[in-house]
């Protein structure tokens, strides 16, 4: 009787170990596998690392073609599309002009970086960063603004995260931006 009970107990333990192992492998797979997200108008897609737990429609605004957020890390990504910049002005000049106006557009904007060229495949891309106080969240936010120009359009990706999570997201934002792919 005890031998039979011992065998049943061993089988149950083995089954539980296999279930836990399966769950662990699935969680690791999900953590390591990026998620492709497409804009609401199907103009472009980006890849979000699997380790970023996000939801769609953070702002509820229809002006954004992509609107993601992570409650856990208080991270947001907003994206808009504008017609290509006038041929008389370069993309770098356009983004520099916007960056120079950020202190007027955002209250308490500080630590405004220079415009930096980015390597986004088949595109011209630049970014700048700054920090500002968000009164609705009652905290400082780190903002990373990326302009990506293709033959068709200019895309603006605005990444924001609470300042205390800046270090975690700096390279993630760059990875997301460089994964940009315009849909045909």
């Amino acid at each position: 009787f005890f031998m039979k009970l011992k065998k049943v107990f061993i089988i149950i333990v083995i089954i539980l170990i296999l279930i836990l192992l399966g769950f662990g492998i699935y969680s690791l797979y999900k953590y390591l596998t990026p998620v492709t997200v497409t804009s609401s108008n199907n103009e472009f897609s980006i890849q979000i690392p699997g380790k970023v737990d996000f939801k769609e429609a953070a702002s509820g605004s229809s002006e954004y073609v992509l609107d993601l957020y992570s409650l856990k890390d208080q991270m947001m990504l907003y994206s808009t599309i504008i017609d290509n910049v006038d041929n008389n002005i370069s993309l770098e000049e356009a983004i520099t002009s916007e960056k120079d106006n950020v202190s007027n557009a955002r209250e308490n904007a500080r630590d405004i970086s220079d415009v930096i060229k980015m390597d986004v495949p088949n595109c011209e891309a630049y970014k700048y960063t700054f920090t500002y106080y968000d009164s609705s969240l009652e905290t400082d936010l780190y903002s990373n603004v990326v302009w990506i120009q293709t033959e068709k359009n200019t895309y603006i990706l605005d990444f924001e995260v609470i300042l205390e999570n800046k270090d975690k997201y700096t390279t993630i934002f760059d990875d997301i931006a460089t994964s940009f792919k315009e849909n045909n």
Side-chain angles (χ1 to χ4, degrees), residues 35-39 44-48 66 68 77 148 157 159 176-181:
V35 177
T36 300
V37 180
T38 303
S39 63
F44 70 93
S45 58
I46 55 174
Q47 287 193 338
I48 310 291
L66 192 62
L68 308 174
L77 164 57
I148 300 172
L157 305 177
F159 301 96
I176 293 171
T178 58
S179 76
F180 175 89
K181 184 175 162 283

Side-chain angles (χ1 to χ4, degrees), residues 49-69:
K51 62 186 169 189
V52 177
D53 185 25
F54 69 92
K55 298 192 181 317
E56 294 190 42
S59 70
S61 172
S62 60
E63 73 181 276
Y64 301 117
V65 292
L66 192 62
D67 189 356
L68 308 174
Y69 71 102

Side-chain angles (χ1 to χ4, degrees), residues 21-33:
L21 192 60
F23 182 73
I25 291 170
Y26 172 75
S27 296
L28 184 63
Y29 170 79
K30 193 170 176 197
Y31 182 83
L32 295 175
T33 305

Side-chain angles (χ1 to χ4, degrees), residues 6-24:
K6 188 175 178 182
K7 284 181 183 177
V8 169
F9 179 72
I10 289 172
I11 290 172
I12 291 173
V13 167
I14 289 172
I15 290 172
L16 288 175
I17 289 172
L18 289 174
I19 289 171
L20 288 173
L21 192 60
F23 182 73

Side-chain angles (χ1 to χ4, degrees), residues 13-151:
V13 167
I14 289 172
I15 290 172
L16 288 175
I17 289 172
L18 289 174
I19 289 171
L20 288 173
L21 192 60
F23 182 73
I25 291 170
Y26 172 75
S27 296
L28 184 63
Y29 170 79
K30 193 170 176 197
Y31 182 83
L32 295 175
T33 305
V35 177
T36 300
V37 180
T38 303
S39 63
S40 61
N41 61 358
N42 292 318
E43 285 283 328
F44 70 93
S45 58
I46 55 174
Q47 287 193 338
I48 310 291
K51 62 186 169 189
V52 177
D53 185 25
F54 69 92
K55 298 192 181 317
E56 294 190 42
S59 70
S61 172
S62 60
E63 73 181 276
Y64 301 117
V65 292
L66 192 62
D67 189 356
L68 308 174
Y69 71 102
S70 168
L71 270 180
K72 178 180 154 233
D73 293 323
Q74 292 184 299
M75 179 279 299
M76 290 130 310
L77 164 57
Y78 309 108
S79 183
T80 53
I81 301 174
I82 57 175
D83 291 332
N84 270 337
V85 178
D86 182 343
N87 287 337
N88 297 330
I89 185 170
S90 73
L91 180 65
E92 186 176 11
E93 290 171 325
I95 191 172
T96 299
S97 173
E98 184 195 68
K99 177 201 73 103
D100 292 344
N101 194 36
V102 101
S103 57
N104 297 331
R106 291 277 189 198
E107 189 179 340
N108 302 314
R110 61 190 189 283
D111 305 326
I112 303 169
S113 76
D114 290 333
V115 171
I116 303 161
K117 186 165 182 51
M118 292 190 70
D119 186 22
V120 176
N122 305 313
C123 305
E124 182 180 3
Y126 295 91
K127 76 171 183 175
Y128 68 93
T129 63
F130 64 95
T131 303
Y132 72 97
Y133 181 77
D134 185 297
S135 55
S136 64
L137 293 175
E138 298 180 349
T139 190
D140 284 330
L141 290 180
Y142 169 76
S143 183
N144 181 338
V145 181
V146 179
W147 285 45
I148 300 172
Q149 188 172 48
T150 66
E151 287 184 22

